Amino acid sequence: MTMTTVKLGTDGPEVGVQGLGCMGMSFAYGPVDADASRATLDRALELGVTLYDTADAYGAGENERFLSPFFKAHRDEVVIATKFALSIPPDDPTKRVIRNDPPYIRQAVEASLKRLDVDVIDLYYMHRRDVNVPVEETVGTMADLVREGKVKHLGLSEVTADELRAAHAVHPIAAVQSEWSLFSRDIEARVVPAARELGVALVPYSPLGRGFLTGSFTNADTDLTADDFRRQQPRFTGDNAAANAALLAPIRAIAESRDATLGQIALAWVQQQATVHGLPVVPIPGTRKPSRVEENVTAATITLTEGELDQLAPIAAKVAGNRYADMRFVSAGRE
């Protein structure tokens, strides 16, 4: 199959309609297998995936270093997306401090360029918003990086509609990255309409609900290793997990009727939001297995019927628990 492509933003890069989230290859989701991850990167490229997503905070820079050889080997074929804003205090490597100030941005971009071993970053995101720094000031510095040739295009992650508008007035924003799935639809109220109005693409992260929508686990406390990030998220533990597992029933029914997996139906729903909302949507499901990439890419070819969309529509409103323990740092907590 040949994956269709779409442009991120009015003047952004052309990418496959599905990207790859690379965080889990070195961070957050338990034990990693470097060889399997490298094979996953290669298979994704073979299948037409061209947008690869990382961040300086993933493994304290280790994810960027891990991806560097793959990016160098395929520099003209891939679009590299990385992020700044989650600073790691030297005295406590387990913590993250949000910084959007210009000196920090300049320090961060130089460090990412060095770890990635590239001359320019294709898409540079503000990972999280520091409300104490005007977004215009932050994006102004990011725009300087474009003019200096260190960055090609700008992105924002987990911003409100008003923050997006303010940023876009300073410099064109190619993409907004936010959580968007059958379990997380808060951005549809304001962020998605603003993005459509401004000609900005949406890049949904965790489109599979961090794996929960695939049915691969039902309770993070009992099913996942102690170092798995998902054990810290309210909707995957305790009574919330049990309630949310029951919500998979309509996804499972549609999957069985189509001889598809739960993950393919959940991901097809996200892909289809491009048509529903009238803007480019490029989800970045994360995986460390070539077989999962093959499964995920197939989802981009599935078109759900109106009846199936109607069956899936009520799920999000019934989800128990927030997507993060502290919602102040995502758009839904500030809208």
Side-chain angles (χ1 to χ4, degrees), residues 52-316:
Y52 293 81
D53 185 88
T54 182
D56 60 2
Y58 298 162
E62 283 306 312
N63 198 235
E64 289 180 326
R65 291 189 190 95
F66 173 76
L67 294 169
S68 176
F70 172 75
F71 289 157
K72 288 195 73 176
H74 303 284
R75 188 64 190 97
D76 296 336
E77 303 167 81
V78 301
V79 173
I80 302 171
T82 193
K83 317 176 193 73
F84 73 88
L86 300 182
S87 173
I88 303 171
D91 58 339
D92 189 350
T94 66
K95 285 188 176 179
R96 300 289 185 272
V97 177
I98 298 177
R99 290 188 60 181
N100 291 175
D101 55 286
Y104 180 74
I105 296 170
R106 289 196 164 276
Q107 172 188 328
V109 75
E110 295 297 342
S112 284
L113 285 167
K114 184 176 181 179
R115 284 189 294 264
L116 292 164
D117 196 15
V118 295
D119 296 326
V120 61
I121 293 165
D122 300 314
L123 178 59
Y124 200 42
Y125 286 102
M126 179 185 79
H127 203 162
R128 289 293 186 270
R129 169 97 167 92
D130 178 357
V131 296
N132 298 308
V133 179
V135 70
E136 295 88 348
E137 183 178 345
T138 300
V139 177
T141 301
M142 295 170 72
D144 288 340
L145 301 180
V146 175
R147 285 187 282 273
E148 293 164 15
K150 295 175 180 177
V151 169
K152 289 184 181 179
H153 306 284
L154 304 185
L156 304 171
S157 180
E158 290 289 0
V159 291
T160 66
D162 288 345
E163 290 164 352
L164 173 56
R165 288 193 176 92
H168 195 74
V170 175
H171 187 279
I173 302 299
V176 167
Q177 185 174 131
S178 283
E179 187 166 355
W180 198 5
S181 72
L182 282 168
F183 268 22
S184 300
R185 298 181 59 181
D186 49 76
I187 65 168
E188 292 175 34
R190 298 193 62 202
V191 177
V192 170
R196 181 178 62 241
E197 168 195 325
L198 298 171
V200 177
L202 249 295
V203 176
Y205 71 83
S206 299
L208 294 171
R210 300 189 185 278
F212 197 87
L213 288 164
T214 69
S216 61
F217 72 99
T218 56
N219 190 313
D221 286 333
T222 56
D223 298 348
L224 303 177
T225 57
D227 57 349
D228 196 300
F229 167 73
R230 291 169 288 189
R231 293 179 66 146
Q232 304 170 28
Q233 294 185 294
R235 60 177 49 163
F236 302 141
T237 57
D239 292 342
N240 287 347
N244 292 335
L247 298 178
L248 302 182
I251 309 172
R252 186 172 284 110
I254 294 171
E256 289 175 356
S257 71
R258 285 177 166 267
D259 195 23
T261 65
L262 275 74
Q264 286 175 327
I265 298 305
L267 193 48
W269 181 90
V270 179
Q271 299 273 181
Q272 205 157 330
Q273 298 313 296
T275 302
V276 172
H277 292 278
L279 79 171
V281 175
V282 182
I284 48 169
T287 186
R288 300 173 288 194
K289 297 178 180 178
S291 61
R292 291 296 187 197
V293 169
E294 294 166 1
E295 178 183 330
N296 291 345
V297 166
T298 300
T301 67
I302 297 172
T303 301
L304 301 172
T305 66
E306 287 296 323
E308 289 169 334
L309 292 174
D310 289 344
Q311 290 178 61
L312 299 173
I315 293 175

Side-chain angles (χ1 to χ4, degrees), residues 317-333:
K318 299 176 183 177
V319 173
N322 285 329
R323 52 191 179 98
Y324 285 97
D326 190 338
M327 291 291 286
R328 291 176 300 166
F329 306 113
V330 296
S331 61

